[in-house]
Amino acid sequence: LNHILMGGAQIVSTIIVAPLGTVAIAANSLAITVESLCYMPGYGIAEAATTLVGQGIGAGQRLLTRSLAYLSVGLGVAVMTVMGVLMAVFAPELMSLMSPVEAIVAEGAAALRIEAWAEPLFAASIVCNGVFIGAGDTLKPAIMSLTSMWGVRLTLAAWLAATHGLRGVWTAMATELSFRGIVFLTRLFYGGWQRKLNSQGAGI
């Protein structure tokens, strides 16, 4: 259900971009493809975090599990920060690999440089979600993601698209990803999965 609703949000986002014209549509699609190179490592680290946290909880290793969770999130943030910097620096070159049209390259590069600022907190949201899945804490994080996507990104994108075009849409995306990252980090340090760890007792 979570994936269906998130996919629906992506469709709505495309509907918001569509009236901006063919250049915007092409730049948006190709920029998303380029950006995927940046966040793929984050999803890999999140998968590892899910496994490590699940095993740690199953073994009753409370302190080790918490340390592995924090280490995984820190690693994800570090890796995606570096990827974000590279994406910002080489945005025109990356876009030129996707399209020979100068207008598309320019729009896509501008979008990628806006998004680059959000990559550290985007990484935090990705890996934190992996931690929560490993701990069996899935319902509230899913609600948080959906609320952020539908309530922040799409609302803001629809508003900014009218005045700032594609750059407004990507500004909304970067704002929402940053907001989601902060919310997920708050849950990582203070949320429900911590109570599950504490209920294990004094395991080390």
Side-chain angles (χ1 to χ4, degrees):
L1 179 61
N2 181 53
H3 284 296
I4 290 172
L5 292 173
M6 291 295 280
Q10 295 289 352
I11 293 172
V12 173
S13 180
T14 303
I15 292 172
I16 293 171
V17 172
L20 301 177
T22 55
V23 170
I25 294 171
N28 182 68
S29 177
L30 295 177
I32 288 173
T33 301
V34 171
E35 193 214 357
S36 68
L37 298 175
C38 189
Y39 61 68
M40 281 175 63
Y43 279 104
I45 294 169
E47 292 290 335
T50 297
T51 302
L52 291 170
V53 169
Q55 289 179 338
I57 289 177
Q61 301 293 321
R62 176 169 55 89
L63 298 180
L64 178 62
T65 301
R66 184 180 283 111
S67 296
L68 289 172
Y70 293 165
L71 179 63
S72 297
V73 174
L75 178 61
V77 170
V79 170
M80 281 184 57
T81 297
V82 172
M83 297 294 288
V85 171
L86 293 175
M87 184 174 72
V89 172
F90 297 106
E93 290 78 9
L94 291 169
M95 285 299 301
S96 66
L97 294 174
M98 307 297 291
S99 172
V101 181
E102 291 185 6
I104 293 175
V105 171
E107 280 292 295
L112 289 174
R113 283 173 169 162
I114 291 170
E115 184 72 5
W117 292 96
E119 293 303 314
L121 286 171
F122 186 21
S125 70
I126 292 172
V127 185
C128 283
N129 193 56
V131 169
F132 301 150
I133 291 172
D137 179 27
T138 56
L139 179 59
K140 288 183 179 179
I143 293 172
M144 289 158 54
S145 293
L146 293 171
T147 302
S148 180
M149 174 69 85
W150 286 87
V152 178
R153 181 187 298 191
L154 296 180
T155 302
L156 194 58
W159 178 48
L160 292 177
T163 54
H164 295 82
L166 185 63
R167 299 183 189 197
V169 174
W170 279 70
T171 298
M173 186 187 305
T175 301
E176 184 271 325
L177 290 174
S178 299
F179 171 77
R180 193 193 312 179
I182 292 170
V183 171
F184 271 55
L185 284 172
T186 301
R187 187 166 185 80
L188 177 72
F189 292 114
Y190 306 108
W193 87 283
Q194 291 275 10
R195 290 192 293 273
K196 186 165 185 176
L197 280 182
N198 294 335
S199 68
Q200 294 175 354
I204 59 172

